[in-house]
Amino acid sequence: MSAAEVGGVFHRARGRTLDAFSAGAPWRKEQTEALQQVLRNVDSEIPLVLVSGNHDVGNTPTPETIAEFQQTWGDDYFSFWVGGVLFLVLNSQFLFDASRCPALKQAQDQWLDQQLSTAGQQKCQHAIIFQHIPLFLQSIDEDDNYFNLTKTLRKEMADKFTKAGVKAVFSGHYHRNAGGTYQNLDMVVSSAIGCQLGKDTHGLRVVVVTAEKIVHRYYSLDELTENGIEDDLMDLMKKK
């Protein structure tokens, strides 16, 4: 995907696109059709990037749940370029529990290594990761829990990302805003537009990427309705 095709702008829907867990769950078919209908209203000139999560392929994905996601929404992991920025979309459920689909996890691992090698060799302006489950919520050394990856794996992934020059990882899953830094890597955890588990209000995160920096800010839906995006971010968007 070229910058010309997307006009430098795209919309990302983080994982957990549905509430009904995985294939066969009650109301899943109806929820899928309802979401597809809503997404048809998105401006066709703004490409939509879907990131798979636990409510899409399950906490413990299987070849069947992955196949259903692919048939319904497209690839569960992929990369694309916008201008000089490389974006990598990962299926983080493989990192959470791939016990029922080890071969699929291995395929993503190999693909990721190749993509990170490309990022390092081509010296892109920025490399950015999208994945549903955060590496960590606040600190690389925090305890393991349902909302992060295990210590050993998160450190391995974070070191791999920083070595390749990845600047930021954007995640959801936590249903609260959180995040931290590790070396030069920014771990950004965004709350939900729907169900909130903390004190954040329903909203979304606006991310502006320029040649020099990555700037992001969380807005409640009320803030966007009443005031729109702040002038400093709008000015950055207008930069060529």
Side-chain angles (χ1 to χ4, degrees):
M1 184 181 295
S2 69
E5 289 173 315
V6 300
V9 179
F10 62 90
H11 174 73
R12 178 177 76 100
R14 285 179 283 106
R16 203 174 188 267
T17 53
L18 306 175
D19 186 56
F21 252 102
S22 301
W27 310 300
R28 185 172 179 84
K29 180 176 182 293
E30 292 81 359
Q31 288 184 4
T32 299
E33 292 174 350
L35 177 58
Q36 290 173 332
Q37 182 60 45
V38 169
L39 294 179
R40 291 189 184 100
N41 295 323
V42 175
D43 190 327
S44 60
E45 294 186 2
I46 303 175
L48 183 67
V49 178
L50 292 170
V51 183
S52 63
N54 56 315
H55 279 247
D56 302 306
V57 299
N59 280 325
T60 304
T62 68
E64 292 75 23
T65 62
I66 297 298
E68 188 217 23
F69 180 87
Q70 292 171 339
Q71 291 164 8
T72 305
W73 303 109
D75 292 336
D76 57 316
Y77 61 90
F78 54 95
S79 65
F80 60 96
W81 289 83
V82 178
V85 181
L86 174 63
F87 294 89
L88 303 178
V89 178
L90 305 186
N91 183 344
S92 57
Q93 298 311 128
F94 290 151
L95 306 176
F96 185 79
D97 183 358
S99 59
R100 298 179 66 186
C101 55
L104 294 178
K105 177 186 183 299
Q106 183 180 21
Q108 177 177 258
D109 289 345
Q110 293 173 345
W111 169 87
L112 177 59
D113 287 342
Q114 294 170 351
Q115 294 293 314
L116 293 176
S117 176
T118 297
Q121 293 171 4
Q122 295 199 9
K123 300 186 183 303
C124 48
Q125 288 181 354
H126 307 288
I128 296 173
I129 303 280
F130 293 145
Q131 61 183 58
H132 183 59
I133 302 176
L135 297 174
F136 55 87
L137 300 174
Q138 295 178 324
S139 168
I140 193 75
D141 297 316
E142 69 194 22
D143 292 338
D144 297 349
N145 64 60
Y146 175 74
F147 293 107
N148 60 21
L149 297 180
T150 61
K151 278 186 181 181
T152 301
L153 180 57
R154 85 174 72 121
K155 183 67 162 52
E156 175 188 331
M157 298 296 290
D159 286 338
K160 186 181 293 190
F161 291 163
T162 56
K163 182 179 179 181
V166 173
K167 298 291 182 64
V169 177
F170 288 91
S171 296
H173 192 50
Y174 191 46
H175 291 249
R176 285 154 283 197
N177 287 312
T181 57
Y182 172 70
Q183 296 182 14
N184 295 322
L185 180 68
D186 194 10
M187 179 67 248
V188 184
V189 184
S190 296
S191 192
I193 200 167
C195 176
Q196 301 293 321
L197 297 182
K199 297 181 180 180
D200 299 300
T201 55
H202 307 282
L204 54 85
R205 188 172 299 276
V206 175
V207 183
V208 180
V209 181
T210 71
E212 297 80 24
K213 57 187 176 181
I214 301 168
V215 181
H216 56 86
R217 196 168 299 158
Y218 186 86
Y219 287 94
S220 72
L221 296 184
D222 287 342
E223 287 175 323
L224 285 177
T225 300
E226 295 170 6
N227 304 313
I229 297 173
E230 292 164 295
D231 290 342
D232 60 328
L233 290 189
M234 293 300 296
D235 290 341
L236 286 175
M237 291 184 199
K238 295 173 184 177
K239 281 188 174 182
K240 299 297 184 181

